[in-house]
Amino acid sequence: MEHYKYVYVLGIGGIGMSALARWFHREGAQVFGYDKGQTLLTDQLIQGGISIHYEATIDAIPIAILDHPQETLVLYTPSIATTHPIWQYLSAHGYNLCKRGDILDIITKNHFTLAIAGTHGKTTSTSLATHILCHANRNITAFLGGIAKNYNSNFIASSNTEQESSIVIEADEFDRFFLKLHPDIAIVTTVDPDHLDIYKDQDGFEKGFKQFLSRLPKQGIAVLHRDVAKRLIDDELYPIQAQVIQYALKDSPIYADNIYINETGRFCFDYISEKFIIRDIQLPVPGYHNIENALAVITACLHIGIASEIIREAIHTFQGIARRFDPIIQRNDLVFIDDYGHHPVEITALLTTIRKLYPNKKVTVIFRPNQYSRTKDFLQEIAQSLSLADCALILDIYSDREVPIEGISSEAILQHITLPYKYVCTKENLVLQLAQVDKLEVVVNLGAGDADEFIQPVREFLLKNYT
């Protein structure tokens, strides 16, 4: 890749593409990008020295890219259609177009790699692993699926260059991306079906994870949740050569003991395995599911050779991920939480944790459904998970890559929600609808896509009306 002086990223505002853009920029390439709209993430990239445009026209392609086709590498996200005018021009004029996975195939093949996969929990787990390894002064390069608050970035490259660099990466199953990676240690947190537009059904989804684990070398390690192991191992078609280590909250070789919530709201526990015991771990990100995520990460870090005391210290200072149980307002009388959750299992875990932390409080959830196909596949499950709240406001479905599906809408979700207080609203009238809800105590903004756009207007409304 050294002969590419210029890199042009189509869909540079995506969380995965932006991290790779930062990597190329750090490696000395001149990086340009296109996306359909300006966001905080694209603003950060521009501030870091990357040039970005938002016009989907051939005239907007940077001059350096037009003048140097043989020295330009073009990266594109699956959200960029082959009918896109810029993609069509570059394809017709001999540019090397490739996906993110094609680059990370090369990077992870040449470096020791910790890859963290799973339907849920992979972003938090990858960020926690990155934080522990940085705290231990290991030389790592990390590609995250979210903005780690400790570093305000989704790309982390440690300053220690005396050691050989290792890769920490979120192994996303979307578009079968994780099948391009070459892990030495792999964590799989969950295998709840998702992206059925790609995998067709649960068996196809699990097959993808089996293929991912089969990429581990014989000397590698697979750290699997107990329930994941039941589904993925002992398949003759996709044998796992690596050592398999299982974990779970309880009833597993690695488990958590002495679990409690302390006075500051931290989930505290002891890490227990046959070889190691780490007492009094205080996890700043709440939820029993995050304790399980921490068990997996601790196990991987111990095998890498990180000392128990360093692991505990690092976890205590972990600030979490933007849009993962992100407290926007935290008062005794008013709480506003933002979260990326869009799969019914994620929504259930989040609302269950909120009920645990804020008993007897009224919970109002704002939900932006993500993708028509996902809504179709999990419509009743989404409605059931949202019914754990007291009041639900459902926006129209966000989709950046799909056409609408007949009969699949926010109204269809609403019909299956069992709450007495439930409303459909638009982006434009969200705040007006929220104003009609009586007694706002705990408000949750949920969803992927552009759901982060609702944070500021809802925050301003709450602070103005609940002083």
Side-chain angles (χ1 to χ4, degrees):
M1 292 184 288
E2 290 81 3
H3 66 283
Y4 291 114
K5 296 180 181 178
Y6 307 93
V7 176
Y8 188 31
V9 185
L10 305 182
I12 196 169
I15 199 73
M17 300 300 283
S18 61
L20 201 51
R22 293 181 197 269
W23 184 82
F24 274 106
H25 183 67
R26 180 174 176 269
E27 291 294 302
Q30 193 169 348
V31 181
F32 302 86
Y34 156 78
D35 214 291
K36 62 182 180 180
Q38 181 181 2
T39 65
L40 290 175
L41 193 50
T42 57
D43 288 346
Q44 281 186 343
L45 294 173
I46 291 170
Q47 291 167 10
I50 294 173
S51 178
I52 298 175
H53 68 90
Y54 307 103
E55 302 81 23
T57 61
I58 295 170
D59 291 341
I61 299 174
I63 296 297
I65 302 301
L66 293 172
D67 288 349
H68 302 91
Q70 300 307 312
E71 297 174 280
T72 296
L73 176 66
V74 178
L75 302 177
Y76 69 97
T77 174
S79 297
I80 297 291
T82 55
T83 55
H84 195 285
I86 295 177
W87 193 96
Q88 287 192 327
Y89 174 87
L90 297 170
S91 179
H93 287 78
Y95 287 82
N96 183 13
L97 282 79
C98 61
K99 294 183 180 181
R100 177 172 58 121
D102 300 323
I103 303 302
L104 286 161
D105 180 343
I106 299 170
I107 295 173
T108 59
K109 187 182 294 181
N110 295 324
H111 294 83
F112 180 91
T113 297
L114 167 59
I116 301 176
T119 318
H120 329 291
K122 55 184 175 286
T123 302
T124 298
S125 300
T126 308
S127 303
L128 179 59
T130 297
H131 182 59
I132 291 172
L133 293 169
C134 285
H135 189 75
N137 197 31
R138 292 298 181 99
N139 183 15
I140 65 163
T141 302
F143 298 89
L144 311 180
I147 304 298
K149 290 185 178 180
N150 290 81
Y151 310 92
N152 193 32
S153 181
N154 58 334
F155 173 74
I156 294 134
S158 47
S159 57
N160 173 16
T161 58
E162 295 179 1
Q163 303 169 339
E164 184 177 347
S165 178
S166 299
I167 303 297
V168 182
I169 187 165
E170 179 169 329
D172 188 3
E173 72 276 8
F174 175 67
D175 199 35
R176 303 183 190 271
F177 162 73
F178 62 174
L179 299 185
K180 292 285 190 176
L181 305 180
H182 300 272
D184 295 280
I185 299 178
I187 293 173
V188 180
T189 59
T190 49
V191 286
D192 297 305
D194 198 4
H195 304 299
L196 298 186
D197 54 323
I198 296 169
Y199 293 99
K200 305 304 180 186
D201 54 26
Q202 182 169 332
D203 287 343
F205 188 73
E206 291 177 6
K207 176 183 173 182
F209 280 86
K210 291 174 183 178
Q211 291 173 314
F212 168 66
L213 291 173
S214 70
R215 297 176 68 82
L216 283 162
K218 188 173 182 180
Q219 68 274 21
I221 297 169
V223 183
L224 308 181
H225 190 281
R226 178 197 59 210
D227 296 339
V228 168
K230 291 177 182 178
R231 293 180 177 274
L232 300 187
I233 64 176
D234 298 329
D235 189 322
E236 293 181 359
L237 292 176
Y238 303 101
I240 301 174
Q241 303 179 74
Q243 176 189 1
V244 174
I245 302 173
Q246 297 186 37
Y247 71 93
L249 208 60
K250 59 182 180 179
D251 301 328
S252 182
I254 294 171
Y255 64 97
D257 198 11
N258 297 324
I259 301 172
Y260 67 96
I261 303 174
N262 71 9
E263 64 280 358
T264 64
R266 292 190 172 200
F267 279 61
C268 304
F269 65 98
D270 298 338
Y271 172 94
I272 308 292
S273 74
E274 183 179 351
K275 294 182 179 180
F276 296 95
I277 296 176
I278 308 176
R279 302 284 185 193
D280 192 31
I281 298 169
Q282 298 181 25
L283 186 63
V285 290
Y288 296 106
H289 57 295
N290 279 322
I291 293 179
E292 291 193 314
N293 294 335
L295 291 175
V297 170
I298 292 168
T299 301
C301 288
L302 287 170
H303 278 270
I304 290 171
I306 309 301
S308 299
E309 188 55 39
I310 290 176
I311 291 173
R312 177 171 41 228
E313 289 174 358
I315 292 175
H316 289 184
T317 60
F318 181 57
Q319 296 175 19
I321 317 300
R323 303 219 63 231
R324 301 314 194 271
F325 209 103
D326 200 353
I328 308 301
I329 300 173
Q330 190 81 38
R331 297 185 342 210
N332 291 333
D333 63 326
L334 180 65
V335 174
F336 178 33
I337 294 168
D338 178 53
D339 194 271
Y340 187 77
H342 51 281
H343 187 282
V345 174
E346 296 167 346
I347 299 168
T348 298
L350 176 77
L351 293 178
T352 300
T353 299
I354 286 173
R355 289 293 192 196
K356 187 75 174 179
L357 289 174
Y358 306 103
N360 306 317
K361 294 278 189 179
K362 179 181 178 181
V363 178
T364 300
V365 61
I366 301 164
F367 180 59
R368 173 77 145 157
N370 184 260
Q371 309 299 341
Y372 290 98
S373 59
R374 180 183 284 115
T375 305
K376 176 178 178 291
D377 292 333
F378 303 109
L379 193 146
Q380 292 194 17
E381 291 88 346
I382 290 170
Q384 184 178 1
S385 64
L386 292 171
S387 297
L388 294 172
D390 297 295
C391 174
L393 281 66
I394 315 298
L395 290 103
D396 52 325
I397 298 170
Y398 171 87
S399 182
D400 59 352
R401 60 179 186 266
E402 298 178 340
V403 297
I405 298 174
E406 186 177 353
I408 302 303
S409 64
S410 301
E411 288 79 4
I413 297 175
L414 199 76
Q415 290 176 10
H416 294 277
I417 294 176
T418 58
L419 301 175
Y421 305 104
K422 52 184 181 179
Y423 311 93
V424 167
C425 54
T426 64
K427 293 171 64 173
E428 292 72 25
N429 72 3
L430 170 60
V431 171
L432 289 174
Q433 186 64 64
L434 193 61
Q436 304 303 311
V437 178
D438 182 49
K439 194 183 178 185
L440 294 173
E441 295 181 322
V442 178
V443 179
V444 186
N445 181 54
L446 265 179
D450 63 356
D452 58 335
E453 294 180 8
F454 313 139
I455 300 171
Q456 194 58 28
V458 171
R459 177 182 179 274
E460 291 176 358
F461 165 78
L462 293 173
L463 292 178
K464 180 180 179 181
N465 292 276
Y466 289 82
T467 55

